[in-house]
Structure formats: C-alpha cells, structure tokens
Amino acid sequence: MVTQSIPTVDLSPFCHENGGDEAVKKRAIEEVGRACSEYGFFQVVNHGVPLGLLARALELSQLFFDYPLEEKLKASPIPGAPLSLGYTKQIEHLTDNNEYILMFTPESSFNVYPENPPEYGEVLREMFPHFKKIALIVESIISQCLGLPPNFLRDYNNIRTWDVMAALHYTPATDGDGNVSGQSEHKDSNCISFVYQDDVGGLEVNKDGKWIPITPNEGTLVVNIGDVIQVLSNDKFKSATHRVVRPIGKSRNSYAFFYNVDGEKWVEPLPQFTEAVGEPPKYRGFFYKEYALLRLKNREEPPARVEDMINLNYYAIPTLKNG
Ligand SMILES: O=C(O)CCC(=O)C(=O)O
Ligand SMILES: [Fe+2]
C-alpha cells in the first residue's frame, strides 16, 4: 500500500529577523503553493512557536480536561459574548464527541480562563501571540503562492479581533460502540487554520475521496486553507475537507488557531482570479459575519440531516452547462 503524506515545509528562512536566503524562500513558497493546490493542507517545521510551550500547553490541557465537569464549568462563557469563549462541552445529541476552550486575543475582556491548573490561563495567553506571529508569516507566503504581493492578504484584512484559539479535547472511543467521530468531516470557514496535535493522532484530510491520516510530530504544526481563501481565490486554492477520528482507549488533545478576517469584511472572488483571467466568479459576495453566524448555527442547532448543514455551497453561483 502506498501511504501518502502531506508536504512539510521548513519555515526557518522566514523566521530570521534579518531576512533569510531568498532562493530558499522561493523554493518554500513553491512547495506551499503545490501543497495548497493538491491538498489544501501542509505541515510546517521551524515555525518559531517554542516547542516547550506547546508541550506544556498540551500537558495542562490534559490536566484540565481530566477534572470533573463541575470544575470545568467554572470557566463557562460569559452570557452575551460574541462567541462562546471559555469552556464548552459539545452538546449530547451531536455525534461528535469533544470539549474545548475558546479564546480571542488575550486583550479581549470576553475571555474566560480556567482557574485550575493555576498555570493554565497564563500558558494560554502566552500561546496566542506566537500563533498570530506564525499566521502572519504563512499569510504572506500564501499571498505569494497566489501570485499576489506579499502583503496583499494583510492589507485586505488587518483587523485581528476575530482570530480564535481553541484547546480541544477528545474523549477516547470505546471499543464496540461504533462512534469514533471526534469532529465529523468539515471545511474550516476562516482564512487559514493551524493545528498542533499530541502524539495520539486522529486528524485526517480527504484527498480525492480517500482519508489521509496526518501523523503527529512533536515539532510540526499542521496548516490548512479555509473557506475565505477559497472564495477570494475563486477556487484556485480549495479549503480541504478534514475530520478527527477518536482513537479507541486514548484521549486526545490538540490546539487549533483560526486565523480569520473581520466580521465586517466583504468576501468575494478577487478580480485577479475572475475578470483578469476571464473566469466568472464562482461565489456571490457576503459579509464574513453572516457566514460565520450560519456556521455557528450548524454547531449549536444542528439540522436533522447532515446534508442540510450550511457550507460554502450556500454562496456558490451555479454554472450554466451547455451554454
Ligand atoms: O483537533 C484537531 O486536530 C483539528 C480540529 C479541527 O479541525 C477544527 O476544530 O476545525
Ligand atoms: Fe477544522
């Protein structure tokens, strides 16, 4: 059997204060471009997020999520916050089995941090700016892969208040109950996502109908393209379908950073990928907050049938076949 694996790109030349080797950077950009067209996913090493901090964050997650529900609920979201920031357990009637802590940038007054373990809140606050830093670097690489100026995506949206970090925990699947879903197949609605998973594994990406497991690696962050990039690029880079499978008998922890655009941002295919190349737009435009709300509703009030979940097709412009 041939096992496929998604490409890994070394980001060290981009993390140099005084600029890295241009030829090496160019090769890395080409690699990312290929990975984005082929998989919508890639992995990065030498990304600058301290590995000791990532390891500590996973340890603290394990301690926190092992607490009784009563303790975890002490970090419940503040009513009226724009998003359920703090601790949430996925509602019982969903097949997905996970619980998580969500946070905005540490400056946000909506964040709710666990009081225990005592160090946890501090470590969560410390992680956020590291993710933000690497996201800015990757955003610039993706701009260039799309043939746009390095600062194009940053100039398009420079408001960082919608970025979200998640500490996720998946309970072990039990042998024989048939439900191994941690997160059912989905595409991320945001711009670019970053995932750090523990050594248990379970993240899988779909390529041409086949599920490819993403093997965990201590120094590696997983990166994937979200729906916003798919719309802006008029499908040049597609947001990849992925899922989390819960291993039997093993609890799994991960961190995800959802690099986003501001809710007020108007998202539509860019002229560079439509008019300039004679392609019709594949999506009608929308305010990002409108789509984000629809996606949130999927989660909080899921429709009876999975096929009724709202996704990007909601904005797709039907193509006229045969003239
Ligand atoms: O936990 C993971 O590894 C991935 C999580 C994910 O895909 C998501 O939260 O959108
Ligand atoms: Fe995801």
Side-chain angles (χ1 to χ4, degrees), residues 183 186 188 242 258:
Q183 279 207 46
H186 66 281
D188 292 349
H242 56 286
F258 302 102

Coordinates of all heavy atoms in Angstrom, one line a residue, residues 183 186 188 242 258, ligand 2:
Q183 N -14.5 15.0 15.4 CA -15.2 16.0 14.6 C -15.5 15.4 13.3 O -14.6 14.9 12.6 CB -14.2 17.2 14.4 CG -14.2 18.1 15.6 CD -13.8 19.6 15.2 OE1 -14.3 20.1 14.3 NE2 -12.9 20.1 16.0
H186 N -15.5 18.2 7.7 CA -15.8 19.6 7.6 C -14.7 20.4 6.9 O -13.6 19.9 6.7 CB -16.1 20.3 8.9 CG -14.9 20.4 9.8 ND1 -14.4 19.3 10.5 CD2 -14.1 21.4 10.0 CE1 -13.3 19.7 11.2 NE2 -13.1 21.0 10.9
D188 N -12.9 24.3 7.2 CA -12.9 25.5 8.1 C -13.4 26.7 7.4 O -13.0 27.0 6.2 CB -11.5 25.7 8.6 CG -11.0 24.6 9.6 OD1 -11.9 23.7 9.9 OD2 -9.8 24.5 9.9
H242 N -11.6 17.8 6.2 CA -10.9 17.1 7.2 C -11.8 16.6 8.3 O -12.9 17.1 8.4 CB -9.7 17.9 7.7 CG -10.0 19.2 8.3 ND1 -10.4 20.3 7.5 CD2 -10.1 19.7 9.5 CE1 -10.6 21.3 8.3 NE2 -10.5 21.0 9.5
F258 N -7.5 29.6 14.6 CA -8.2 30.0 13.4 C -7.9 31.5 13.1 O -8.4 32.4 13.8 CB -9.7 29.8 13.7 CG -10.0 28.4 14.1 CD1 -10.3 28.0 15.4 CD2 -10.0 27.4 13.1 CE1 -10.5 26.7 15.7 CE2 -10.3 26.0 13.4 CZ -10.6 25.7 14.8
Ligands
FE2 FE -11.2 22.0 11.2

